[in-house]
Amino acid sequence: MTDRRGKLIFSNEDVSKNGLEKKVLTITDLTSSLLEIIMYYLVLKDNIRAFVVCKAWRKAAEYVRVVEKHPWFITFPKHDDLTILIDPLERKRYTLNLPELAGTDVCYSKYGWLLMRRSNLVDMFFFNPYTLELINLPKCELSFQAIAFSSAPTSGTCAVIALRPFTRYSVRISICHPGAIEWITQDFSFSIGFDLYMHSDLVYANDHFYCFSSGGVLVDFDLSSCTMSHQAWNEHRCPYMHNDNDEWFNMLKRIYLAEQKGELFLMYTCSSEIPMVYKLVSSSWEEMSSILLLTA
């Protein structure tokens, strides 16, 4: 039942020394098992809203979320404050009102956190769409082509790394930590040419940041020692870029580097061509394309 203000209440009778007396229970008195049953029937956007109500609701909302579920897409329209969530397999679409993200772009996402940059290209911050927590970073007036972070910004060990190929034989790295007052920048040189424009995003694995270029060069930045190394595989230069066949010249090409459980995977795409996928095993890239086709 509800009271005159519409507040949900429950009536119960307690036996005391003085006899029967009524005790009013509110929805906050629900047991954890009942809360979990309620949360189980909520769609994702309502689960997220319930998550921020209180500690008990947060625990129940997090408990019923499906583990290992397929990923969703998140997009930010340019003309309003709505955030759009898209389930690609179920073909469902939901909207959230997150005014904190108005006029921003996603630079990187991991561990449930988004690394955002405002339209002025200087202000950067972390944002958690589940808890609505926001953590500012110092102003970033440096240009970069790839950026990533190592761990959740609340972990105490988070490092943000921005990369920009400065010349074909040098890379500029900028480092920042949540709570820092400025970015630290350092240039690194190497003997093997690195493609200035055709390369993957940064990927973090095992205390290292990696980036792979179309020339078959893997750049390796060791976070603990702040040193950089590189290795080249001529046999894994992007075939769509380095081939005498002109049919690929005007096609859209991309290089993707990904990490899964500490292992690195490389993928080349070119328009409607079949993606070429490799896995790094003992300093050698093993082709995974046939496995990809069988499991697609």
Side-chain angles (χ1 to χ4, degrees):
M1 71 177 67
T2 59
D3 61 11
R4 288 180 298 175
R5 293 173 297 177
K7 183 178 181 181
L8 182 63
I9 60 174
F10 303 88
S11 292
N12 190 22
E13 292 186 344
D14 266 354
V15 178
S16 67
K17 294 179 180 180
N18 299 326
L20 294 176
E21 63 180 20
K22 289 186 177 181
K23 179 182 179 181
V24 177
L25 301 177
T26 68
I27 197 170
T28 58
D29 295 308
L30 287 174
T31 64
S32 58
S33 58
L34 288 176
L35 276 175
E36 290 168 6
I37 292 174
I38 295 172
M39 298 296 176
Y40 177 81
Y41 290 98
L42 298 181
V43 297
L44 178 60
K45 67 173 183 178
D46 292 330
N47 180 289
I48 294 173
R49 289 168 178 164
F51 185 86
V52 299
V53 171
C54 63
K55 290 183 179 179
W57 286 37
R58 174 178 297 185
K59 185 177 180 180
E62 188 174 33
Y63 179 80
V64 300
R65 287 182 189 160
V66 179
V67 179
E68 300 296 337
K69 188 175 181 180
H70 59 271
W72 286 31
F73 296 109
I74 181 169
T75 63
F76 305 94
K78 299 295 184 182
H79 305 295
D80 54 45
D81 295 344
L82 293 179
T83 301
I84 299 176
L85 299 173
I86 301 175
D87 184 339
L89 295 186
E90 299 293 335
R91 297 185 178 181
K92 293 181 179 179
R93 171 174 166 158
Y94 305 94
T95 58
L96 291 174
N97 185 16
L98 297 176
E100 299 90 345
L101 302 185
T104 63
D105 292 310
V106 179
C107 297
Y108 194 76
S109 64
K110 202 171 185 179
Y111 308 110
W113 287 86
L114 305 175
L115 178 58
M116 311 297 299
R117 181 166 64 168
R118 298 195 186 277
S119 55
N120 60 14
L121 304 182
V122 173
D123 295 327
M124 300 192 70
F125 61 93
F126 284 102
F127 184 76
N128 189 320
Y130 301 103
T131 64
L132 306 184
E133 189 174 0
L134 190 151
I135 300 175
N136 286 310
L137 290 172
K139 292 185 180 298
C140 181
E141 299 179 351
L142 308 165
S143 62
F144 59 84
Q145 292 187 15
I147 192 168
F149 56 90
S150 59
S151 56
T154 53
S155 65
T157 60
C158 176
V160 184
I161 304 295
L163 175 145
R164 178 193 174 192
F166 199 53
T167 69
R168 276 187 55 82
Y169 298 96
S170 64
V171 171
R172 176 162 292 176
I173 295 289
S174 300
I175 308 175
C176 180
H177 302 270
I181 59 174
E182 64 179 354
W183 292 74
I184 305 300
T185 300
Q186 186 176 355
D187 291 342
F188 297 89
S189 300
F190 39 83
S191 58
I192 304 174
F194 187 89
D195 196 311
L196 294 176
Y197 304 105
M198 183 60 67
H199 55 77
S200 72
D201 288 335
L202 277 172
V203 167
Y204 177 78
N206 306 317
D207 204 34
H208 290 246
F209 285 89
Y210 299 94
C211 184
F212 198 92
S213 82
S214 65
V217 178
L218 180 69
V219 169
D220 176 352
F221 181 75
D222 187 332
L223 182 59
S224 60
S225 62
C226 289
T227 57
M228 178 170 286
S229 61
H230 57 280
Q231 187 172 354
W233 288 271
N234 289 329
E235 68 274 21
H236 288 294
R237 301 169 72 212
C238 178
Y240 303 127
M241 292 287 294
H242 307 279
N243 195 288
D244 295 333
N245 193 340
D246 292 334
E247 65 176 301
W248 295 324
F249 182 77
N250 292 319
M251 292 185 179
L252 183 63
K253 295 170 279 289
R254 290 288 186 270
I255 301 174
Y256 298 94
L257 189 66
E259 177 270 341
Q260 179 69 25
K261 297 181 180 180
E263 296 182 312
L264 293 180
F265 294 84
L266 173 68
M267 181 170 68
Y268 294 119
T269 64
C270 178
S271 187
S272 60
E273 299 288 330
I274 297 176
M276 304 178 68
V277 183
Y278 303 89
K279 176 182 178 181
L280 185 60
V281 180
S282 300
S283 299
S284 177
W285 292 97
E286 293 186 359
E287 188 171 357
M288 306 289 290
S289 299
S290 57
I291 297 178
L292 176 67
L293 292 176
L294 289 174
T295 58

